[in-house]
Amino acid sequence: MFVKRQRGWELPEHAATSEAAFLNRRQLLAAAGGGLLLGAGGLRAKAEEAVDPTADLYPAKRNELYTIERPVTPEAINSTYNNFYEFGSHKRIYQRAQALNIRPWEVRIDGEVENPFTIEFDDLIRKVSVEERLYRHRCVEAWSMTVPWSGFPLKDLVALAKPLSKAKYLRMETFHNPDVATGQKQSWYPWPYVEGVTIEEATNDLAFLVTGAYGKPLHKQFGAPLRLALPWKYGFKSIKSIVRFSFTEERPVSFWEQIQKNEYGFWANVNPEVSHPRWSQARETVLESGEKIPTQLFNGYGEYVAHLYDGLEDKEPLYM
Ligand code: MTE
């Protein structure tokens, strides 16, 4: 089943620019309002934060290995401009996302592992060490931001899972609950959202499972309680609100790949020289300033990840 629809981040470059202009106005409003523009949904989220069973873990100690040369995107801007198609195919889903119930939250680990198991998120997070990292985030739509994520390396989850040697890929899946996430009633999308990486990518130091941001447990619109951050890849690889990690022999087919594989491939590594079929990836609009800056190969993280792709250049479409 396959219906091609224009999605928010499939805009041509000129349309992406007007989003940036919109954001500049938002920034002014946020500054004038002196805080988050979250309304009633945000107030509810704030009340939940107060009782979040993991609140004691934040703010986490910053790991200075992962720093950025750009200012951090203000929380008020970042938390009101999100891609989370489960709650709508536009950027202003932050209030709708507050409907997501994130407790209890079970995480299933299965596939090619010694022993499949299910674990409560609140138990999982106590088995790892939470730290803060400053990461750049580059959306395929050609906007970018910088975020203080908190969480733990994905490789620590891989270690807990004990994959068998035949496991070559890690497939991740978002929750599926159309009653709450009304975007999932849009039957032309292949719900639930799925993403995948190779085991080598999953165990790279940069691959980070995010549990918090801006020194607090994760806002729901960011993909609470557990999302991925793969800063060298386009943002759609960074799957939100994960409920399942499956270790597989076969390469998983991701959500957008199922919809439009000639535009959103499995690898999706950032490369300014490889255009999206419908717009250039050479530059990116910085979310908070509207400034257009050059995009960097692997989003500037080549020293950590370029080696993962040695010998694959001619065999695989690494940059789409
Ligand atoms: N994960 C799920 N489950 N659903 C989504 O729609 N959107 C992706 C990614 N992860 C998405 C998702 C895209 S396109 C981007 S750019 C980032 O989340 C956006 O993350 P942010 O809202 O925290 O900026």
Side-chain angles (χ1 to χ4, degrees):
M1 201 269 320
F2 189 93
V3 182
K4 173 83 179 81
R5 294 222 161 192
Q6 174 121 332
R7 298 178 290 277
W9 42 279
E10 285 188 336
L11 299 169
E13 210 177 6
H14 67 269
T17 308
S18 51
E19 286 281 8
F22 170 84
L23 277 163
N24 285 336
R25 287 198 297 280
R26 277 203 90 83
Q27 189 181 15
L28 287 174
L29 284 170
L36 287 178
L37 297 170
L38 293 180
L43 289 178
R44 243 192 339 269
K46 280 232 146 313
E48 277 171 26
E49 269 168 27
V51 295
D52 189 298
T54 64
D56 60 299
L57 296 170
Y58 307 94
K61 191 170 182 307
R62 183 171 296 173
N63 184 338
E64 299 293 347
L65 274 180
Y66 305 99
T67 50
I68 42 175
E69 72 303 330
R70 278 160 48 186
V72 166
T73 303
E75 183 181 2
I77 292 178
N78 189 359
S79 59
T80 54
Y81 187 87
N82 303 97
N83 276 330
F84 204 167
Y85 278 70
E86 284 81 347
F87 296 98
S89 48
H90 55 85
K91 301 286 188 285
R92 259 66 65 186
I93 52 73
Y94 54 92
Q95 282 167 311
R96 284 195 193 174
Q98 306 315 314
L100 181 62
N101 183 7
I102 55 170
R103 291 294 186 292
W105 191 272
E106 285 188 341
V107 178
R108 176 78 184 153
I109 311 241
D110 62 13
E112 304 296 347
V113 292
E114 279 182 20
N115 291 304
F117 61 94
T118 302
I119 185 167
E120 279 292 333
F121 170 74
D122 292 328
D123 295 332
L124 172 64
I125 200 168
R126 300 290 165 183
K127 290 183 183 294
V128 294
S129 176
V130 175
E131 63 183 41
E132 184 178 79
R133 298 182 178 190
L134 301 180
Y135 271 5
R136 289 183 292 274
H137 174 100
R138 170 62 159 83
C139 180
V140 73
E141 191 192 14
W143 55 265
S144 67
M145 60 183 184
T146 48
V147 201
W149 295 127
S150 303
F152 59 95
L154 177 56
K155 69 177 178 189
D156 292 355
L157 180 127
V158 174
L160 288 171
K162 301 198 176 85
L164 303 174
S165 58
K166 59 181 170 181
K168 300 284 179 272
Y169 298 93
L170 176 57
R171 177 188 185 277
M172 291 152 282
E173 195 176 292
T174 297
F175 71 88
H176 189 220
N177 184 354
D179 291 339
V180 169
T182 50
Q184 291 182 330
K185 291 185 174 155
Q186 297 180 315
S187 56
W188 53 90
Y189 289 119
W191 307 111
Y193 200 100
V194 167
E195 260 308 337
V197 290
T198 65
I199 294 294
E200 292 73 26
E201 290 176 324
T203 52
N204 182 271
D205 285 340
L206 267 187
F208 199 51
L209 275 174
V210 173
T211 59
Y214 296 92
K216 291 171 284 194
L218 207 55
H219 288 315
K220 292 180 180 179
Q221 61 269 36
F222 287 147
L226 186 64
R227 62 97 48 95
L228 188 61
L230 298 173
W232 73 98
K233 292 179 180 281
Y234 290 115
F236 67 87
K237 297 291 293 184
S238 293
I239 180 173
K240 295 181 168 184
S241 302
I242 306 170
V243 294
R244 187 173 173 196
F245 295 85
S246 305
F247 292 80
T248 64
E249 279 189 89
E250 298 290 314
R251 184 186 292 182
V253 181
S254 57
F255 181 79
W256 294 116
E257 194 182 356
Q258 280 187 63
I259 297 168
Q260 197 71 3
K261 75 168 186 236
N262 65 328
E263 298 192 351
Y264 311 104
F266 171 79
W267 299 97
N269 294 306
V270 175
N271 187 339
E273 290 178 6
V274 179
S275 295
H276 183 278
R278 286 179 286 123
W279 62 84
S280 164
Q281 296 290 22
R283 298 170 81 72
E284 64 202 58
T285 303
V286 178
L287 210 52
E288 64 271 20
S289 64
E291 190 191 354
K292 284 200 156 207
I293 60 169
T295 286
Q296 304 174 70
L297 181 61
F298 294 116
N299 199 21
Y301 293 100
E303 65 177 298
Y304 297 94
V305 296
H307 68 275
L308 294 172
Y309 309 104
D310 284 348
L312 285 178
E313 290 260 359
D314 298 332
K315 297 184 195 138
E316 293 284 344
L318 293 174
Y319 304 108
M320 60 149 283

